[in-house]
Amino acid sequence: MTDLPDTDFTQRFIFDENDARGELVSLELSYAEVLAKHAYPEPVAQLLGELMAAAALLVGTMKFDGLLILQARSEGPIPMLMIECSSEREIRGLARYDVDRITPNATFSELMADGVLAITVDPTEGQRYQGIVDLDGETLSDCFTNYFVMSQQVGTKFWLNANGKRARGLLLQQLPADRIKDEDERTDSWRKLTALAGTLTAEELLGLDNETILHRLYHEEAVRLFDEQSLRFNCSCSRERSANALVSLGLEDAQNLVVEHGGHIEIDCQFCNERYLFDAADVAQLFAGAGSDTPSDTRN
């Protein structure tokens, strides 16, 4: 019996004669898991896939233990897109949308009018960091590229596409000057690499394997492709975390909620639709042991 090919992975590559690196991502099963939780319209499913691809690419560029959170908010028909991807390469996502406001062939700027993109790094240890940029690009790819320009970090460009079945992304990033010392030559080299990547069509990115893409774009360059790094869908919700949230409310408020909701409390996970039920006996048991050993993590 042979192993099935991995459908969800990132794959890094580096240019041996240029100060640049890149990463490609492919998501199928995890993308399907996210879309299966809600009946998203096509434009929402596409943008959610693109945001998933961006999160996977960004996690590949970071060295940290914790959680990366991407959140796009707007005044448009899609008021919220959210992706969480852990350093363990587990990913989940959701969207909020107003189906009555989504028109055929709506552009990105129309779907997410007056929007902002927040990129949050929540490490297991250390300080939480968040950067915010306006969603003022023509595509989500433009917005991520603009984020790196605005934050004055190293040159970085994104190409993102999704079609409801597969989400794909390409990232190029400058490295510190090493192989090319002259600043003008360095600028020309970066401009050439990004211009070639810009010729890649959505159909090619979604339909071709990584080796073929890199050969098509950079057959005149010395490119090394590294091993694939797998990703998977996983929702971090649990009955224990839901119980922790109830404990944080206090005994009286939790008991009142049980009464108000007909004898039990329902806590639903927005990411995976899992439902956790707690009745009066459950609440009593929770608080009987909460005095000496109260879990601290209340995030669903």
Side-chain angles (χ1 to χ4, degrees):
M1 180 177 177
T2 59
D3 293 333
L4 293 173
D6 195 353
T7 63
D8 294 58
F9 59 90
T10 61
Q11 194 167 15
R12 183 173 300 185
F13 60 92
I14 193 168
F15 296 91
D16 286 332
E17 298 173 1
N18 299 278
D19 295 319
R21 59 170 291 273
E23 192 133 1
L24 285 151
V25 61
S26 176
L27 301 172
E28 292 184 28
L29 290 179
S30 58
Y31 184 30
E33 288 270 13
V34 168
L35 296 186
K37 308 306 177 185
H38 303 275
Y40 292 122
E42 182 180 344
V44 180
Q46 178 180 337
L47 288 177
L48 200 55
E50 291 181 6
L51 197 64
M52 287 182 69
L57 290 171
L58 285 171
V59 162
T61 70
M62 298 176 177
K63 295 181 179 179
F64 80 110
D65 291 325
L67 193 64
L68 171 70
I69 305 165
L70 303 185
Q71 192 171 67
R73 291 189 173 275
S74 82
E75 300 297 325
I78 305 177
M80 195 268 287
L81 298 166
M82 184 176 180
I83 302 295
E84 293 183 354
C85 189
S86 73
S87 53
E88 300 300 315
R89 308 175 75 80
E90 295 178 340
I91 194 167
R92 65 179 187 169
L94 62 86
R96 294 281 178 264
Y97 63 94
D98 183 349
V99 68
D100 294 330
R101 297 175 60 198
I102 297 177
T103 58
N105 303 316
T107 65
F108 171 73
S109 59
E110 291 169 342
L111 291 169
M112 303 210 70
D114 300 319
V116 294
L117 171 67
I119 300 178
T120 305
V121 178
D122 190 6
T124 305
E125 297 181 1
Q127 189 172 359
R128 181 182 175 106
Y129 167 79
Q130 184 177 79
I132 299 177
V133 66
D134 289 338
L135 289 172
D136 57 359
E138 293 185 6
T139 64
L140 197 57
S141 305
D142 292 339
C143 296
F144 276 95
T145 297
N146 292 343
Y147 171 83
F148 278 85
V149 172
M150 295 295 291
S151 59
Q152 298 182 333
Q153 298 185 42
V154 294
T156 305
K157 291 209 68 170
F158 289 79
W159 291 265
L160 307 167
N161 288 109
N163 61 4
K165 294 183 178 179
R166 194 180 195 196
R168 291 278 271 155
L170 165 65
L171 173 149
L172 290 182
Q173 194 166 61
Q174 281 187 306
L175 296 173
D178 179 31
R179 295 165 178 80
I180 303 176
K181 303 294 186 181
D182 182 83
E183 191 61 33
D184 289 338
E185 290 182 19
R186 178 175 164 82
T187 299
D188 288 343
S189 171
W190 175 246
R191 185 180 295 117
K192 177 184 177 183
L193 295 179
T194 55
L196 288 171
T199 66
L200 188 68
T201 66
E203 291 75 16
E204 289 173 329
L205 183 57
L206 288 166
L208 300 177
D209 61 71
N210 290 350
E211 291 84 355
T212 303
I213 287 174
L214 291 179
H215 178 74
R216 183 164 296 189
L217 295 179
Y218 301 119
H219 58 276
E220 294 182 353
E221 306 290 338
V223 183
R224 276 186 293 148
L225 186 62
F226 295 90
D227 292 339
E228 297 173 0
Q229 300 292 316
S230 296
L231 296 105
R232 69 185 183 96
F233 172 84
N234 184 54
C235 191
S236 57
C237 76
S238 67
R239 183 174 178 81
E240 180 184 6
R241 288 189 168 186
S242 298
N244 292 343
L246 288 180
V247 170
S248 71
L249 292 177
L251 176 57
E252 184 177 350
D253 285 345
Q255 288 175 329
N256 289 338
L257 281 175
V258 171
V259 175
E260 291 170 9
H261 291 82
H264 65 265
I265 303 170
E266 295 182 3
I267 299 180
D268 298 334
C269 177
Q270 299 178 18
F271 286 92
C272 71
N273 290 339
E274 187 69 43
R275 176 169 295 176
Y276 302 98
L277 300 179
F278 298 85
D279 59 20
D282 293 325
V283 170
Q285 185 177 5
L286 284 175
F287 283 91
S292 60
D293 187 20
T294 302
S296 59
D297 192 347
T298 60
R299 293 179 300 178
N300 256 1

